[in-house]
Amino acid sequence: MTETSRFVVSSDWLQKELGSPDLRILDASFYLPAQKRDADAEYAAGHIPGAVRFDHDKVADHSTNLPHMVPSPEVFAEAVGKLGISENDRIVIYDGPGIFSAPRGWWLFRVMGARQVFVLDGGLDGWKAEGRPLETTVPTPAPATFKPDFHADRIVDLQTMLGIVEDGSRQIADARPAGRFSGVEPEPRAGMRSGHMPGARSLPSSAFSANGKLRPLNELRQVIEEAGIDVNRPVVTSCGSGVTAAIITLALESLGHENNALYDGSWTEWGSREDTPVVTGPASPKAA
């Protein structure tokens, strides 16, 4: 039998669990302009029964001009408490396509100390395709208290990232498409250099799923190892703006890899500066 991630739940499982008192469902859909999808409009048109809307750009650090950066534990706790979520709930997070922005929500809740967090395999698109129930009513959950247990070591900032690039102390896994990684394709954000950090490996986020579902563990391992990442060594994940990097994190954690962190500013921060080293061309040869 093919082994799958312990952090992913099926639509069958979720439908059977609907209405359970300790279950919290979050629509954490987020889209890039090129995807031409409106997360709020799609939620209003029909969401999984009981699901509340989690907006990555609202539950964020607004003291920076970088998008959807991790907020303080206090800000996060207040926001999700208003959504009726405590750290002890069973939390299922989904997005439209399945494995796109939901892993970022999964990662963020775990960084903040939630203990039981899962991603819905197949996402809302899969749920709809299977003819499962939807509702348009916006839930009004009773406020809850979320007591954060903040894992700051799972977040990497610019200064730490500069040090990692300099000394090679951790492997760097970049989730952006290969063309942007190599510098052949431009970045979608204006005024940003193309290319990648010295020493980084290319692990396009799209390689970790098929038809909106996370690949089995053996395939996740293959994708990671073929990119030259040693699963026995520390890893920092990165992407365009810190969202799809969490897909690599989900894959790593699914394989039991716990010594990983996410560079929150990602390429939006790195590629827009003049004092950060950037190289072009394909990923360097595989690690031995």
Side-chain angles (χ1 to χ4, degrees), residues 112-152:
M112 294 296 177
R115 298 173 180 86
Q116 301 182 81
V117 196
F118 308 93
V119 172
L120 174 63
D121 232 6
L124 186 63
D125 293 352
W127 184 273
K128 288 178 177 177
E130 293 164 358
R132 298 184 185 276
L134 295 169
E135 69 176 15
T136 54
T137 305
V138 177
T140 53
T145 299
F146 187 102
K147 296 177 181 175
D149 178 16
F150 186 48
H151 298 274

Side-chain angles (χ1 to χ4, degrees), residues 8-255:
V8 168
V9 297
S10 69
S11 51
D12 273 342
W13 180 91
L14 182 57
Q15 185 168 347
K16 290 172 185 172
E17 292 291 320
L18 290 178
S20 297
D22 66 332
L23 181 69
R24 301 292 180 267
I25 307 172
L26 283 76
D27 181 327
S29 299
F30 163 86
Y31 299 110
L32 299 169
Q35 291 171 287
K36 294 181 168 57
R37 294 181 67 165
D38 184 324
D40 288 335
E42 289 188 22
Y43 174 81
H47 47 267
I48 295 174
V52 296
R53 179 82 178 101
F54 181 86
D55 189 325
H56 294 276
D57 285 316
K58 289 181 179 175
V59 188
D61 177 4
H62 298 297
S63 69
T64 171
N65 60 359
L66 294 169
H68 37 256
M69 294 285 281
V70 174
S72 70
E74 295 76 20
V75 166
F76 179 87
E78 181 181 4
V80 301
K82 289 178 180 176
L83 295 175
I85 302 167
S86 84
E87 75 281 3
N88 296 316
D89 289 327
R90 288 185 300 160
I91 303 166
V92 175
I93 302 177
Y94 72 84
D95 59 36
I99 306 293
F100 184 66
S101 59
R104 166 73 183 201
W106 167 86
W107 171 80
L108 181 58
F109 269 86
R110 295 177 81 236
V111 164
M112 294 296 177
R115 298 173 180 86
Q116 301 182 81
V117 196
F118 308 93
V119 172
L120 174 63
D121 232 6
L124 186 63
D125 293 352
W127 184 273
K128 288 178 177 177
E130 293 164 358
R132 298 184 185 276
L134 295 169
E135 69 176 15
T136 54
T137 305
V138 177
T140 53
T145 299
F146 187 102
K147 296 177 181 175
D149 178 16
F150 186 48
H151 298 274
D153 59 326
R154 292 304 179 97
I155 307 167
V156 170
D157 62 14
L158 175 66
Q159 290 307 313
T160 304
M161 200 72 229
L162 284 165
I164 291 167
V165 168
E166 179 72 25
D167 63 20
S169 56
R170 301 190 228 179
Q171 301 169 102
I172 305 167
D174 191 324
R176 291 174 302 144
R180 288 164 58 190
F181 178 93
S182 66
V184 173
E185 296 174 6
E187 286 295 310
R189 292 175 175 84
M192 205 163 292
R193 296 173 292 167
S194 292
H196 57 270
M197 300 172 212
R201 304 282 174 163
S202 178
L203 282 83
S205 58
S206 59
F208 294 93
S209 63
N211 301 314
K213 296 185 177 182
L214 193 68
R215 291 186 181 277
L217 298 189
N218 63 321
E219 294 181 21
L220 296 179
R221 183 179 294 275
Q222 184 178 357
V223 168
I224 291 168
E225 291 181 345
E226 285 186 351
I229 293 290
D230 181 349
V231 294
N232 297 307
R233 292 183 54 223
V235 179
V236 175
T237 62
S238 181
C239 61
S241 64
V243 173
T244 59
I247 297 173
I248 305 178
T249 307
L250 175 60
L252 288 168
E253 293 276 341
S254 297
L255 295 170

